[in-house]
Amino acid sequence: MIKYAFSAIAMLAMLLNNGALAQNNKPLKQGRVVYEQLIKGGQSTVTVNGNTQTFTRPDRIVKWELLFTADQSLRRSAETDERPEAEIAVPGMGGGLAGSVRMVSAFMPESTIWHNFPAGRRVDQRETVGKKFLVEDSITKHTWKLTGESKTILGYTCQKAITQTPVKSFNMQMQDGEFKRTEKWDTIQVTVWFAPAIPVPAGPEFQGELPGLILEYDSRNGTSVTRAVEISETVKTADIKEPKTGKRVSKAEYDKEVEDQQKEMMDRMKSSRRANF
C-alpha cells in the first residue's frame, strides 16, 4: 500500500513537471539548437541497358547545430552516419558475365551556412571534391500561409506554416556501361513549425523568412523531416561569424563548378573503362 502511494505521488510529480515544461515558452534572443534530420530511404529505380533495376535505400540521420543571435545565425554539420550504399546487378559487365554497380545514396554536402538577417545576406561554405567554396547569395523569400494550428516542441508553443518551393530531382540511366543523368524540376510542399516566443528568423532551412525560430521542418510528404532535439540559451556568440576560407563564388558559379567536376569524373570513368577493355 505504501509502495503504491509513493508511485502515485511520483507519477503526479512527473506529470506536473511535464506540464510546466510544455508551458515553458521562455523568450530567447540567442542560443544553440541541435537538429536531427531523418531522410527516409525506400525503393528507387535505375535504367540499365534498357532494363529497369530496383534497389533499396536505407534510412539515414543527419545532425545539424544552429547558433543564433537576434541578427545572425550559423548552421553547421554535427554527427552524420555513413552514406548508405546499395548494389544492383548489371548484365553484360565483367567480360560478358553479370556484374554489379554500387549505388551511393545522394547526400547533402557538409557545409557551414551563415546568415545576416538585417543585411539579407547568406554565405555557404562548402567543400566539394577537395575544394572549398564560399557561395554568396541573398536570403530567398517564400510566400507562407499560417494554418492556425499549433503544437508544443521542447516546451515551446509552435505555429504551423506551409509554402511551396521548387526542387531538382535526377534520373539515372546506364547504357553500354556508361551512366547518363537527366534532371528535372518539381514543386513540393514544405511544412514548418516555428516558435514566436523565440523572435529570431532562424532554423535548419528557410532562415530569415518567419517571425520565430523554426523547430521542425517537413518536406516531400514526410520523406525528409528535421526536428529540434535540444535547445539552450548558452551559446558562444564569437563562433557566429561569416566564414572566410574558400573560393568566393556566386550560386550560379558554384553550380557550374559542380557540373564541370561531375563531367570530369564521368569522362575519367569512361576513359578507365575503355582502357580496361
Side-chain angles (χ1 to χ4, degrees):
M1 187 68 179
I2 293 176
K3 183 177 180 181
Y4 177 80
F6 176 79
S7 299
I9 292 172
M11 180 72 74
L12 177 61
M14 183 179 70
L15 291 174
L16 290 174
N17 287 336
N18 286 343
L21 177 63
Q23 299 175 20
N24 178 18
N25 282 318
K26 181 178 181 180
L28 292 179
K29 291 190 176 179
Q30 67 177 44
R32 172 181 176 271
V33 188
V34 177
Y35 294 93
E36 283 190 354
Q37 180 184 10
L38 171 62
I39 305 172
K40 293 185 179 180
Q43 298 291 316
S44 294
T45 59
V46 61
T47 302
V48 181
N49 295 335
N51 298 314
T52 299
Q53 302 279 341
T54 301
F55 61 97
T56 301
R57 295 176 295 108
D59 296 347
R60 68 188 302 256
I61 292 177
V62 179
K63 286 189 177 181
W64 304 100
E65 177 186 50
L66 178 75
L67 313 178
F68 67 90
T69 63
D71 296 330
Q72 300 180 67
S73 72
L74 187 83
R75 195 199 78 178
R76 57 192 179 189
S77 303
E79 300 174 18
T80 302
D81 59 3
E82 296 293 327
R83 293 174 63 187
E85 297 180 343
E87 285 192 355
I88 57 173
V90 182
M93 292 187 64
L97 300 175
S100 65
V101 173
R102 188 174 298 275
M103 303 294 294
V104 182
S105 297
F107 75 111
M108 297 170 62
E110 290 191 8
S111 64
T112 298
I113 306 176
W114 171 80
H115 286 82
N116 183 309
F117 304 126
R121 291 186 62 224
R122 165 189 171 121
V123 177
D124 187 348
Q125 183 185 58
R126 298 190 179 193
E127 184 168 347
T128 305
V129 195
K131 297 181 181 179
K132 281 191 175 181
F133 296 91
L134 294 173
V135 185
E136 292 192 280
D137 204 355
S138 58
I139 293 178
T140 304
K141 299 293 185 180
H142 291 79
T143 300
W144 293 92
K145 176 184 177 182
L146 300 180
T147 68
E149 298 171 74
S150 65
K151 71 176 180 179
T152 301
I153 302 174
L154 295 179
Y156 285 91
T157 302
C158 296
Q159 303 297 319
K160 181 179 178 180
I162 58 176
T163 192
Q164 304 283 326
T165 188
V167 295
K168 186 186 293 187
S169 60
F170 301 96
N171 179 48
M172 296 293 295
Q173 292 187 344
M174 175 180 276
Q175 187 66 39
D176 299 325
E178 295 182 2
F179 273 112
K180 295 181 180 180
R181 186 180 72 166
T182 57
E183 61 184 48
K184 67 174 182 176
W185 285 93
D186 297 310
T187 299
I188 63 171
Q189 178 171 294
V190 172
T191 300
V192 303
W193 296 87
F194 68 95
I198 309 177
V200 178
E205 297 288 347
F206 302 101
Q207 301 204 45
E209 299 194 42
L210 289 164
L213 181 68
I214 296 173
L215 295 182
E216 185 173 313
Y217 158 53
D218 183 344
S219 67
R220 297 180 181 271
N221 295 319
T223 59
S224 176
V225 180
T226 303
R227 292 188 177 95
V229 296
E230 179 185 335
I231 187 167
S232 170
E233 60 184 320
T234 302
V235 61
K236 292 182 179 179
T237 56
D239 288 347
I240 308 175
K241 57 186 178 182
E242 179 179 349
K244 298 291 186 180
T245 304
K247 179 181 178 181
R248 196 170 292 272
V249 294
S250 67
K251 180 65 166 58
E253 290 170 336
Y254 174 76
D255 291 342
K256 182 65 166 55
E257 287 268 6
V258 173
E259 183 181 338
D260 290 344
Q261 288 176 3
Q262 291 175 341
K263 185 177 184 300
E264 184 179 337
M265 288 176 58
M266 296 296 288
D267 289 342
R268 286 201 299 266
M269 290 173 62
K270 291 177 184 179
S271 299
S272 175
R273 183 175 180 274
R274 283 195 293 267
N276 290 334
F277 282 92

